[in-house]
Every structure is written in structure tokens, then in C-alpha cells.
Amino acid sequence: QVALVESGGGLVQAGGSLRLSCAGSGRTFSTANMGWFRQAPGKEREFVAGSHWRSGITYYADSVKGRFTISRENAKNTVLLQMTSLKPEDTAAYFCAAKWTSAWSRSSSDYNDWGQGTQVTVSS
């Protein structure tokens, strides 16, 4: 049984920073493609950032490129999302997800396991 637990969300002013953490149990992250997604009220869940399991290549949505950084701490079975220069449009529930097959994907439907989400609210 895989469990993912996000933490680190909160309320921050525009221009501020937050660091989200996703801690996993039940299976090692080192063999998983990991992704961060977000969903704002009334909107579809969208890809934010991801990390390929083998190459370590990172991927970002255009809207967050240069502001967000995804990283792994495989020894701790943890994935981090450092968010800087936050904007009100970044307000959403943020979810981490694991994809256990080798091919990389930005599609949320390809991910197997999800955390419960953590809320990020950016005030203007």
C-alpha cells in the first residue's frame, strides 16, 4: 500500500515563497516518475512539475518555469517543490503523484498514486 502525504502549503503574499514536501511510504520513490499537479476551484487538475525516475530530468509547466524547482531526496523517499515569486494565479490545491511505469508523462490520468493535497493561497 503506497501512501503519499503532502505538507508545506499555506497563505503567502504575492512574491513570496513556499516549499512543499511529499513523503512516501510503501514503495521507494527511486523507481517512480514523480509529479506535482495543482487544481484551482472550478478548473481541471494541471501539471506543474515532474522528475523522471532514471535520468533525473525535470519538467515544468510554462507557467511556473524559472520560479518552481522540483527535487528528490530518494534516501528519505521525499519529493520537494520549491516555489518562489508566487503569484495569485498559483493559488490551488497542490498534489504529488507517483507513476510506476518507466515512461514519463504530464497527464494526470497516467499517475497511479496520489496524495491528499495541500492548499496554497497567494494573496495579492
Side-chain angles (χ1 to χ4, degrees):
Q1 184 79 16
V2 174
L4 305 178
V5 179
E6 302 96 335
S7 61
L11 173 62
V12 64
Q13 289 188 332
S17 300
L18 283 173
R19 188 177 78 162
L20 305 184
S21 178
C22 173
S25 61
R27 199 166 174 180
T28 178
F29 281 0
S30 63
T31 59
N33 291 302
M34 298 301 299
W36 283 96
F37 294 79
R38 67 187 181 187
Q39 188 167 19
K43 295 188 177 182
E44 293 188 355
R45 190 167 296 189
E46 64 175 358
F47 170 78
V48 175
S51 171
H52 188 271
W53 73 276
R54 173 177 281 179
S55 67
I57 294 174
T58 55
Y59 304 85
Y60 297 95
D62 288 343
S63 59
V64 306
K65 202 170 293 183
R67 300 188 297 122
F68 290 12
T69 302
I70 185 172
S71 60
R72 294 175 177 252
E73 296 182 348
N74 284 339
K76 297 180 180 180
N77 229 32
T78 298
V79 178
L80 304 174
L81 184 68
Q82 179 68 47
M83 306 186 295
T84 63
S85 302
L86 283 161
K87 305 176 181 179
E89 51 264 44
D90 294 318
T91 295
Y94 283 71
F95 301 86
C96 73
K99 179 180 183 292
W100 301 102
T101 52
S102 60
W104 167 253
S105 173
R106 293 176 179 243
S107 175
S108 60
S109 62
D110 290 332
Y111 283 73
N112 308 106
D113 293 295
W114 291 83
Q116 84 289 347
T118 185
Q119 179 66 37
V120 171
T121 302
V122 184
S123 63
S124 57

